[in-house]
Amino acid sequence: MGQRERFVIFIGGAILGVMILLGGKSCGNEKKQQLRGVRNSLSMAPMMYDYAVMKKGFYGKYVLFEKVEAGTAGAHVRTVVTGGTRRYSLEGRELPEEHIYIKETYPTGVALAEVGPVAAYEFTYADRIAVKLKPGHQAAEVRLQSGDVAATWVGHDEFLIRLDAWRKLPGGAPWAKLEELVRELNGHPAVALAHLVRIDWVAEADLIRANSPQ
């Protein structure tokens, strides 16, 4: 992706948000509905796509958790949890906060800093776990100690555990134990596979670009 395309996504994300907030006064109703549809389909705040396209790291007050591990060939993998984009109901009521789990891979010799460059990203939701059940088992069997339980995931053949109570445990959400929780679920007698829900940020960034003024 060239510098011009990066700039388009960066500016386009901001413009897209502004156009939606202003109600798209210069657009027809069909265009306004299209822009709202794009906004609602995004998994993260527009600026997060901008940072990823520019290969920058996620730092600052919105980082709720951070850890750094050694990767292959001298690389480092930095994992962070941040808040997700704000969402509202049809009545305008703010919905519960979402959280994003980001893994940044820094090449050998690159300092871990916002300027990067980051070689690769992995974006997943930090507040939900997808579960595929073994034959003959029910979702209600998969219950965490926090009380969160697997439930139907509309449009999918898997079930979803939303970590609502887990994030409200005394002392705050134990983000450092999130991957351990997934491993424990993979050992549950009713579970065939458990995994964090991946966010295809590249496809969503392309969607922003396609719906931004060129």
Side-chain angles (χ1 to χ4, degrees):
M1 182 176 291
Q3 184 65 32
R4 179 180 180 277
E5 291 176 301
R6 295 177 186 173
F7 181 78
V8 167
I9 292 181
F10 182 88
I11 299 300
I15 292 176
L16 179 64
V18 171
M19 290 179 68
I20 295 172
L21 289 174
L22 294 178
K25 293 181 179 179
S26 62
C27 305
N29 187 64
E30 182 177 340
K31 183 62 176 180
K32 287 191 288 185
Q33 293 300 324
Q34 177 186 349
L35 291 174
R36 289 194 184 96
V38 171
R39 180 196 62 185
N40 293 335
S41 70
L42 297 177
S43 302
M44 306 182 296
M47 187 59 72
M48 299 181 76
Y49 301 98
D50 301 335
Y51 268 51
V53 167
M54 294 186 292
K55 299 183 179 180
K56 296 175 66 174
F58 291 84
Y59 293 81
K61 64 180 180 180
Y62 298 108
V63 173
L64 307 176
F65 166 77
E66 174 184 11
K67 71 175 179 180
V68 178
E69 299 173 297
T72 58
H76 286 87
V77 178
R78 176 174 175 264
T79 301
V80 301
V81 174
T82 73
T85 186
R86 290 184 176 180
R87 298 185 182 279
Y88 299 87
S89 68
L90 294 176
E91 297 76 26
R93 179 176 54 84
E94 186 169 0
L95 299 174
E97 182 180 12
E98 296 181 325
H99 290 94
I100 308 297
Y101 201 63
I102 308 171
K103 286 194 173 184
E104 307 169 341
T105 299
Y106 290 77
T108 303
V110 173
L112 276 65
E114 183 176 317
V115 293
V118 175
Y121 298 93
E122 180 182 333
F123 290 85
T124 56
Y125 284 104
D127 55 18
R128 65 202 70 176
I129 300 174
V131 173
K132 183 175 183 180
L133 298 178
K134 294 179 180 178
H137 290 275
Q138 303 296 318
E141 298 176 51
V142 186
R143 178 183 292 273
L144 305 181
Q145 290 186 352
S146 60
D148 297 306
V149 62
T152 299
W153 188 8
V154 178
H156 296 78
D157 58 2
E158 296 177 301
F159 294 86
L160 201 63
I161 303 176
R162 292 192 175 273
L163 304 177
D164 296 333
W166 186 86
R167 287 184 289 164
K168 297 177 182 177
L169 289 172
W175 299 119
K177 297 182 179 180
L178 180 59
E179 293 187 38
E180 179 182 340
L181 178 61
V182 175
R183 288 192 293 270
E184 290 175 356
L185 282 169
N186 273 301
H188 192 286
V191 174
L193 176 66
H195 62 91
L196 296 176
V197 178
R198 178 176 174 268
I199 297 172
D200 189 344
W201 74 270
V202 174
E204 294 191 8
D206 286 343
L207 182 63
I208 293 174
R209 181 179 58 181
N211 287 274
S212 300
Q214 301 295 317

